[in-house]
Amino acid sequence: MDRKEYLDTLAEQIRSKPAAAAVRREIEDHIEEQKEAFLAQGMSGSEAEEAAVQEMGDPVETGVAMDLIHRPQMPWGSIALIAFLSVAGMAFRFLLAAKLPDVIFMTGDVTTQGIYLCLGLALMIGICLADYSRIGRRARTWTLVLALALLAGNTFTGVVVNGMSGYLYFMGYVVSISLIWPLFAPLYGGIVYHYQKKGYLGLGMCLLWTLPGVIAAASCSGPGAALLLLIIDLVILGIAVWKKWFPAARKKVLFGLGCAVILLPALSAGITLLFGNEYQKVRLAALFGRVDQGGNWARQTLQDILGSSKLIGASQQMLDQEEAFSAADFVLTYITGYYGILAALVLIGLILYLVFRLFRVSLQQKNRLGMLMGAGSAVVMTAQVLIYVLCNMGIILPGTIYCPFLTGGGTVMLVTYVIFGILLSVYRYQDIPLEEGERARRLSLDK
């Protein structure tokens, strides 16, 4: 059996094409090394080639063994947990709406929300089965397309609903676009991957590529979302620098990024105090507890609910509440007040466990692209959940806030499942050397 026949037979046993290509190159390198050793012993070229191939063992057995190592792993446990949390979050929203008719949860129609949930889960599994690197390799293109689509939609078909922007008119329907901006985070991970190893020029390009997402977020979701996305992008870039993927003065760059992460919120707060709208100043003052009783009504309502909550079951204050209150962003608070502190802790604990578990898998990736896209997805999810919890505790007053599984709506649900789909795809392909497949693709294009 000659070298080509051996390698072809071995590669046929490996179901993942990127893994097959990488294993093939590795085995061929071993054959070449062994051939040189035999040549040094005095064998002829053909004899050394044949002996080197035989040294590799049976190609079928070797290929099957490599297939077991590099086979995609379907994360059924995480998928089951996501499905459970999806149903539980939706059930809590509709149960609270039914039991507390004076509280406005804006749940929508149960059938419509159920359809969105099923569509979202199907979309998530589809992305999980696909190769996330197909998205990451074209991250710059997708970023521009998404940013331009959001800006154009908001400019030409944007509408105001209940005094709030971030909606557009599409095919006869009003669609919310205020919470689409988290999709820029995993795409930014792909952008950082593209510019790795390019030193300070690469770092500069990465900083420039924060602009499309930040501008789109500012236009459709407001300055708060834009600031949060910029900070998340800097964190993703910082992870790559910390991993020494940019040939630059690591400590100095990390210090600069850290200062930016700290100073940007302070600068934003100063600009808001000087030039912001009155409601923005009220929200900022609430963060430091400096709001008069009238402006602090929503915050006081949340803290009263939490302060009277029981470990299990509804508090008397919750049962006696009659005053209308818009609680679409405060489902967690009302779960605490009506079902008890334990129910809320278990629910938010499972959400954080899921995100942190997938975050840990992402950080352990050997594939740099997978690590950066997974980290981007996990960081944006974690940031959103923590802000949601702070808002529900009455510590800060919300702008547009979001928590996976607890925030209702069609568009935001689909965004949630796209991001989780990317995280699950990173998990699924963690043992497959996708970067080797990308290198081979580039080499073939160069030829």
Side-chain angles (χ1 to χ4, degrees), residues 11-214:
E12 288 171 356
Q13 315 309 311
I14 304 174
R15 284 167 283 186
S16 169
K17 291 183 179 180
V23 170
R24 182 185 183 114
R25 281 189 296 276
E26 182 180 354
I27 296 298
E28 188 167 20
D29 289 342
H30 289 318
I31 291 175
E32 191 62 34
E33 291 174 1
Q34 193 61 49
K35 178 181 177 180
E36 291 178 1
F38 286 136
L39 287 172
Q41 296 175 13
M43 288 187 180
S44 65
S46 59
E47 290 174 339
E49 175 89 8
E50 183 177 355
V53 171
Q54 290 178 352
E55 282 286 317
M56 296 299 105
D58 182 84
V60 174
E61 293 181 0
T62 303
V64 170
M66 292 295 101
D67 180 63
L68 291 174
I69 295 173
H70 298 294
R71 183 173 57 187
Q73 303 178 30
M74 198 65 181
W76 291 115
S78 297
I79 291 174
L81 180 55
I82 290 171
F84 169 77
L85 289 171
S86 300
V87 174
M90 182 175 172
F92 272 123
R93 292 197 304 272
F94 279 96
L95 286 172
L96 286 170
K99 293 178 180 296
L100 301 169
D102 292 324
V103 181
I104 304 169
F105 289 99
M106 292 190 295
T107 55
D109 177 70
V110 64
T111 302
T112 302
Q113 292 296 298
I115 292 173
Y116 274 115
L117 190 152
C118 293
L119 286 175
L121 289 173
L123 179 62
M124 179 189 74
I125 293 175
I127 294 174
C128 173
L129 292 173
D131 175 1
Y132 66 86
S133 67
R134 295 179 180 178
I135 301 173
R137 286 196 297 264
R138 299 172 178 82
R140 292 175 298 173
T141 301
W142 282 113
T143 296
L144 286 178
V145 168
L146 181 60
L148 291 174
L150 290 176
L151 289 170
N154 193 48
T155 301
F156 298 110
T157 65
V159 295
V160 176
V161 177
N162 295 326
M164 297 180 63
S165 58
Y167 296 85
L168 59 83
Y169 191 76
F170 180 72
M171 297 180 65
Y173 295 93
V174 176
V175 180
S176 172
I177 57 173
S178 61
L179 288 170
I180 290 181
W181 67 264
L183 293 175
F184 287 107
L187 291 175
Y188 187 73
I191 291 172
V192 172
Y193 171 79
H194 178 82
Y195 288 106
Q196 61 164 333
K197 300 180 181 179
K198 295 184 179 180
Y200 290 104
L201 176 61
L203 288 171
M205 293 303 298
C206 288
L207 292 175
L208 285 175
W209 272 100
T210 63
L211 295 179
V214 168

Side-chain angles (χ1 to χ4, degrees), residues 192-206 237-254 368:
V192 172
Y193 171 79
H194 178 82
Y195 288 106
Q196 61 164 333
K197 300 180 181 179
K198 295 184 179 180
Y200 290 104
L201 176 61
L203 288 171
M205 293 303 298
C206 288
L237 182 58
I239 291 173
V241 173
W242 177 65
K243 289 284 188 178
K244 300 180 180 179
W245 294 344
F246 285 87
R250 185 173 69 150
K251 291 183 179 180
K252 292 181 179 179
V253 174
L254 287 175
R368 294 183 179 184

